[in-house]
Amino acid sequence: MYIHVLGSGAGGGFPQWNCNCRNCAGLRSGQIRAQARTQSSIAVSGDGLNWVLFNTSPDIRAQLAAFPAMQPARQIRDTAIAAIIYIDSQIDHSTGLLMLREGLPIDVYCTDMVFQDLTTGFPIFSMLEHWNGGVQRHPVPIDGSSFTIPQTPELRFTAISLSSKAPPYSPHRHDPHDGDNIGVKIEDLRTGKNVFYAPGLGAIEPKLVPFLENADCLLVDGTFWRDDEMVVQNIANKWGRELGHLPQSGDGGMIEALRAFSKPRKILIHINNTNPILDEDSPERAQLVAEGIEVAFDGMDVCL
């Protein structure tokens, strides 16, 4: 199984266009050692030819252009995108679908709650019906059952509902439902290897433990270093957990949680522009290295 990180940043990317925090200003001026990042998305393939895209960020066009495998050029109009899976309906995970309208129809897999959001609060599915019939939607079960995608028969997908938040625009933003946000186990049926992908993770609930301890690789929420990160930097009055993201540091944080799992390779993804781990010379980054935790970057490849 091949996993390619198209984008590793949180909403707004890094540097964020209107932000002058230490990280963003430091990257622009060359004062810190860091890499720019687009908004989070990964692509997964069993054969290296047909790829399942997870989310469609606003940066999708540049992300596809930076990954030649996505344009196999077998005919006058072509793409290696076999299907799209949405893990939530956040704007930074879905807006890029509008940029793919020339390639419609396309198979899209999402939960009922995500489908509801993307046909009402942010109705891009409805808008795109005018381009070759729009998306061909397939439900993603969250009852523990798995599903496969015909174009990638080597891979099996199992979704689990996570403790997180629906988008701010959602009619049920303050009324959480199962399926607002999911983590997905992606298993190679030939080798038995699997990766668990959860870029938005608000808590490590008991039902998650089997997914985490049995994974060969974890690609999990790396949004904030500390819960009050944006507050102390005078950027916003919202805390990480309030936004549905478990911070890395502190009691019960991601670092502490990941210590319990010795098997998987551990990689943080969906990293906010304010997070000090983006500075490769920071003490926070050094702490991750000491813990055996990696930080995803655009263009990163994982092979299982």
Side-chain angles (χ1 to χ4, degrees):
M1 174 168 48
Y2 306 98
I3 304 145
H4 182 82
V5 176
L6 293 167
S8 54
F14 174 61
Q16 185 170 301
W17 66 277
N18 67 336
C19 186
N20 292 296
C21 69
R22 179 185 179 276
N23 283 343
C24 291
L27 181 64
R28 292 192 194 101
S29 64
Q31 296 298 304
I32 66 170
R33 188 164 64 94
Q35 298 181 54
R37 285 168 165 82
T38 58
Q39 295 165 95
S40 74
S41 176
I42 66 170
V44 180
S45 176
D47 60 8
L49 300 173
N50 299 289
W51 294 80
V52 176
L53 190 62
F54 280 77
N55 303 326
T56 52
S57 91
D59 302 313
I60 187 65
R61 189 176 181 279
Q63 292 171 341
L64 296 180
F67 186 38
M70 284 299 188
Q71 182 44 266
R74 296 164 294 196
Q75 52 194 344
I76 192 68
R77 291 283 178 95
D78 200 10
T79 179
I81 300 173
I84 299 167
I85 296 177
Y86 285 108
I87 57 98
D88 59 33
S89 52
Q90 298 285 348
I91 285 178
D92 56 309
H93 284 162
S94 58
T95 306
L97 185 62
L98 297 172
M99 303 300 105
L100 301 181
R101 63 190 182 277
E102 296 90 352
L104 298 176
I106 193 167
D107 289 311
V108 168
Y109 293 74
C110 64
T111 66
D112 290 342
M113 299 315 301
V114 169
F115 181 72
Q116 182 183 110
D117 280 343
L118 296 182
T119 51
T120 57
F122 183 39
I124 57 174
F125 286 175
S126 304
M127 292 163 58
L128 290 171
E129 289 175 359
H130 301 282
W131 278 266
N132 298 322
V135 304
Q136 305 297 312
R137 188 257 171 159
H138 307 268
V140 167
I142 52 173
D143 60 0
S145 58
S146 302
F147 66 98
T148 57
I149 294 173
Q151 302 95 317
T152 58
E154 311 92 347
L155 304 179
R156 180 168 59 196
F157 305 87
T158 308
I160 183 171
S161 185
L162 302 179
S163 173
S164 193
K165 291 263 191 175
Y169 71 78
S170 174
H172 58 275
R173 167 70 168 176
H174 301 293
D175 180 23
H177 288 66
D178 285 346
D180 285 337
N181 182 285
I182 58 173
V184 181
K185 173 185 174 182
I186 312 156
E187 181 182 7
D188 189 319
L189 294 172
R190 300 161 302 182
T191 65
K193 300 280 184 141
N194 78 89
V195 59
F196 183 67
Y197 178 56
L201 185 54
I204 306 295
E205 302 171 274
K207 66 181 181 180
L208 275 179
V209 172
F211 288 85
L212 299 174
E213 66 184 2
N214 294 317
D216 294 288
C217 181
L218 299 174
L219 273 167
V220 293
D221 195 331
T223 309
F224 299 116
W225 176 257
R226 50 188 288 177
D227 202 13
D228 62 351
E229 185 166 298
M230 294 199 296
V231 176
V232 298
Q233 295 190 40
N234 296 314
I235 288 174
N237 292 321
K238 295 182 177 179
W239 293 51
R241 284 184 172 89
E242 181 184 349
L243 295 171
H245 297 289
L246 183 67
Q248 280 108 64
S249 64
D251 292 341
M254 187 67 75
I255 292 174
E256 181 180 285
L258 291 180
R259 285 184 189 135
F261 309 111
S262 58
K263 177 185 176 183
R265 179 179 177 183
K266 305 164 186 176
I267 306 173
L268 300 179
I269 196 167
H270 193 272
I271 303 145
N272 201 58
N273 66 88
T274 55
N275 194 326
I277 66 174
L278 289 169
D279 180 349
E280 297 174 22
D281 297 317
S282 66
E284 292 84 358
R285 186 63 167 265
Q287 184 174 344
L288 289 183
V289 172
E291 295 279 352
I293 300 172
E294 301 173 58
V295 179
F297 55 88
D298 290 23
M300 183 181 196
D301 287 302
V302 176
C303 184
L304 295 177

